[in-house]
Amino acid sequence: EIVMTQSPATLSVSPGERATLSCRASQSVSNNLAWYQQRPGQAPRLLVYGASTRATGIPARFSGSGSGTEFTLTISSLQSEDFAVYYCQQYNDWPSWTFGQGTKVEIK
Amino acid sequence: QLQLQESGPGLVKPSETLSLSCTVSGGSISRSSYYWGWIRQPPGKGLEWIGSIYYTGTAYYNPPLKRRVTISVDTSKNQLSLTLTSVTAADTAVYYCARHSTSGSHFDYWGQGTLVTVSS
């Protein structure tokens, strides 16, 4: 099983500031990496797939990068609706997909 | 707009069987190029993929759960179902159904989720 490790567990950021979230895979997943946002009480929402492709309707302030084992999700200027938990997911290891444990982005 | 809706009992006794359904609307479950999956999330914890199925009935399961899980599809009802046997408190979670493509297995549409509590 590929283990996905996200850091930090909690990120405190002021509105308008930049947030950088990390995700590391225990072995290479190529670019088969997705990012999701989960607001309290809601289902996860797909933000990025293929490590860097924004999903339909996702604002340009969200960007993904990386390949292999190291990945980053950057939110360029945090809006109030961006405070949530973010998960990465690898889908390289078929059929044994795994998620990271999540990074909570909270208001500083 | 594609919508997914989970349904089923919110409370299951230990050692019994958990059964959930997911109804797909706004699109056909028989559309090629898509799988339909189940993911769960224990309260306050992260996400765990349970398994996925193609409309032909071909299913794949997460190895740690494979022994207890069955996923099926009913194309006439546009539904997929989840059965999990011999449940324990560790199976208490919000259960989501979601869609992913055959080419890239990210989940692009999700149901709202349903909480299942395992307790006597």
Side-chain angles (χ1 to χ4, degrees):
Chain A
E1 174 181 297
I2 297 177
V3 177
M4 307 301 292
T5 303
Q6 293 185 240
S7 61
T10 303
L11 187 60
S12 298
V13 185
S14 299
E17 289 189 340
R18 182 186 196 92
T20 302
L21 289 66
S22 295
C23 175
R24 173 177 293 179
S26 59
Q27 63 190 75
S28 177
V29 299
S30 184
N31 68 337
N32 295 313
L33 190 286
W35 289 94
Y36 301 86
Q37 176 194 68
Q38 187 176 34
R39 295 173 178 145
Q42 296 187 14
R45 176 175 72 141
L46 177 66
L47 297 176
V48 169
Y49 62 93
S52 61
T53 302
R54 272 191 304 277
T56 302
I58 300 303
R61 65 180 181 272
F62 292 92
S63 63
S65 63
S67 66
T69 62
E70 301 283 344
F71 301 89
T72 300
L73 176 71
T74 302
I75 312 171
S76 60
S77 177
L78 273 157
Q79 307 298 303
S80 58
E81 62 267 28
D82 300 336
F83 292 96
V85 180
Y86 293 82
Y87 294 95
C88 61
Q89 176 225 344
Q90 66 81 18
Y91 48 91
N92 191 68
D93 185 21
W94 169 266
S96 186
W97 305 313
T98 48
F99 293 84
Q101 81 279 17
T103 290
K104 180 180 181 180
V105 177
E106 64 176 23
I107 300 175
K108 187 175 182 180
Chain B
Q1 174 76 347
L2 191 71
Q3 292 187 319
L4 292 76
Q5 179 69 58
E6 304 88 350
S7 60
L11 182 64
V12 181
K13 290 182 167 55
S15 80
E16 295 191 345
T17 297
L18 178 159
S19 296
L20 296 174
S21 296
C22 172
T23 300
V24 178
S25 58
S28 174
I29 204 169
S30 300
R31 183 176 174 183
S32 61
S33 301
Y34 291 104
Y35 277 85
W36 305 87
W38 288 96
I39 299 110
R40 69 179 182 178
Q41 184 174 36
K45 297 187 178 180
L47 301 161
E48 180 182 35
W49 172 70
I50 299 170
S52 297
I53 192 165
Y54 197 53
Y55 76 95
T56 57
T58 299
Y60 299 93
Y61 303 113
N62 192 349
L65 295 171
K66 187 175 183 178
R67 179 178 57 87
R68 299 193 294 133
V69 173
T70 302
I71 297 175
S72 59
V73 63
D74 186 334
T75 55
S76 67
K77 295 181 179 179
N78 230 30
Q79 283 183 345
L80 65 154
S81 298
L82 169 71
T83 300
L84 181 66
T85 62
S86 304
V87 298
T88 69
D91 295 310
T92 294
V94 175
Y95 286 76
Y96 297 99
C97 56
R99 186 187 84 165
H100 63 90
S101 74
T102 56
S103 58
S105 298
H106 50 273
F107 297 94
D108 58 356
Y109 283 91
W110 295 67
Q112 66 184 33
T114 187
L115 174 63
V116 178
T117 302
V118 179
S119 175
S120 55

